[in-house]
Amino acid sequence: MPELESQAGPETGPEHRAENRAKSRAEDRAAAGPGGVEAAPFRVRPISTRRGPDPKQDRAARTRQLVLTAAAELFASGGFRRTSVQEVADRVGMTKGAVYFHYPTKEALAVAVVEQHYARWPLLLAAVTAEGHGPLGTAERLLAGAALAFRDDIVVRAGTRLQVERPQIDAELPTPYVDWTDLLAGLLAAAEALGELRAEVSPRAAARSLVAALFGTQHISDVLHERADLVERWSETAGLLFRAIRAE
Ligand code: LUB
């Protein structure tokens, strides 16, 4: 898998390959935690989907979702700094006070949007896993599904922009990229165990490369075409990368 490794720095020569593989295997084991079970990816606060006996609670939950979606639309198009809570209130026809009742600060709104962005991925994972592909096929379809969400899902678009603007947001945002890397490293380790990976490919190194590739592809497509061509661009990149890591 020379091309993946040759792009990294001087410590990737053949004499270092075994060492690197050992290091990333250790990382895989560490990520998998005791007993080898991958930690549940995308640790997000559960979204209460409780319905029924308390209509007041349901109305509040619906209002919160309305406000969150309006905030996502404004954060995705204008960014965190340029978006005001008054704009969010105007967009949903509420007073600023009513918005603050549900989200006490603009930062709390940003955190809620980013968390709902990450809450999308376990749902995508469950849907793709239910299709019953092998670990490599699951990784491929997960990333293709994510590319679609980056193009079509306003909460995912807003969450991605807010994570890029995190230095401007005075709030505790989830650590980006690490959960996708853990999830893909787990799937690729399973593919390796089935002999589906090229011998010299380190599952975690490949996982980091796939995450970097999708992040970069969605960012460039956003800047150049507002992600209109993202699905095509990602299928090109994914084709190259999965051909590079899949065993003949
Ligand atoms: C993904 C973004 C945008 C990584 O995992 C993340 O945090 C991500 C937001 O920060 O892309 C690519 C799968």
Side-chain angles (χ1 to χ4, degrees):
M1 177 61 264
E3 62 273 11
L4 259 180
E5 297 194 13
S6 56
Q7 285 150 4
E11 71 287 347
T12 58
E15 69 282 4
H16 288 281
R17 223 166 260 158
E19 190 191 313
N20 290 347
R21 266 205 303 284
K23 198 155 89 335
S24 54
R25 300 246 178 307
E27 285 169 359
D28 291 340
R29 275 193 297 281
V37 182
E38 291 287 346
F42 309 108
R43 288 168 286 282
V44 288
R45 265 177 292 187
I47 294 177
S48 71
T49 52
R50 194 198 47 63
R51 305 211 59 72
D54 182 341
K56 213 155 108 329
Q57 283 265 352
D58 294 347
R59 211 175 26 259
R62 278 199 300 282
T63 305
R64 282 175 68 80
Q65 189 56 52
L66 266 178
V67 172
L68 189 146
T69 305
E73 289 159 359
L74 290 161
F75 286 144
S77 54
F80 180 78
R81 278 228 174 105
R82 282 218 314 264
T83 296
S84 70
V85 174
Q86 186 58 60
E87 276 178 299
V88 176
D90 297 347
R91 184 166 287 222
V92 290
M94 291 164 66
T95 63
K96 226 162 89 166
V99 170
Y100 281 133
F101 171 77
H102 292 284
Y103 299 97
T105 62
K106 186 166 77 166
E107 286 74 12
L109 256 176
V111 171
V113 168
V114 170
E115 287 199 340
Q116 196 161 92
H117 153 202
Y118 287 112
R120 294 284 200 259
W121 305 134
L123 304 174
L124 175 65
L125 176 60
V128 171
T129 305
E131 294 168 7
H133 310 285
L136 210 51
T138 298
E140 230 168 332
R141 283 161 183 76
L142 259 179
L143 292 167
L148 265 175
F150 281 117
R151 185 191 68 188
D152 303 339
D153 184 325
I154 194 63
V155 170
V156 169
R157 293 164 72 109
T160 300
R161 179 166 186 165
L162 291 168
Q163 281 286 44
V164 170
E165 295 178 354
R166 47 194 286 125
Q168 303 166 19
I169 305 172
D170 178 14
E172 175 89 19
L173 290 173
T175 306
Y177 320 122
V178 292
D179 286 336
W180 266 109
T181 305
D182 285 348
L183 172 61
L184 292 169
L187 285 167
L188 296 181
E192 180 191 48
L194 293 171
E196 290 183 357
L197 274 199
R198 287 171 64 136
E200 69 271 28
V201 171
S202 141
R204 186 153 288 273
R208 282 192 290 262
S209 303
L210 287 166
V211 168
L214 180 52
F215 182 80
T217 304
Q218 65 81 27
H219 185 72
I220 295 169
S221 174
D222 181 29
V223 172
L224 298 181
H225 307 290
E226 291 199 345
R227 296 193 181 94
D229 68 341
L230 176 52
V231 171
E232 295 73 21
R233 296 288 79 72
W234 177 247
S235 107
E236 287 168 353
T237 307
L240 279 173
L241 286 177
F242 279 96
R243 263 199 302 285
I245 66 176
R246 177 180 281 111
E248 300 297 341

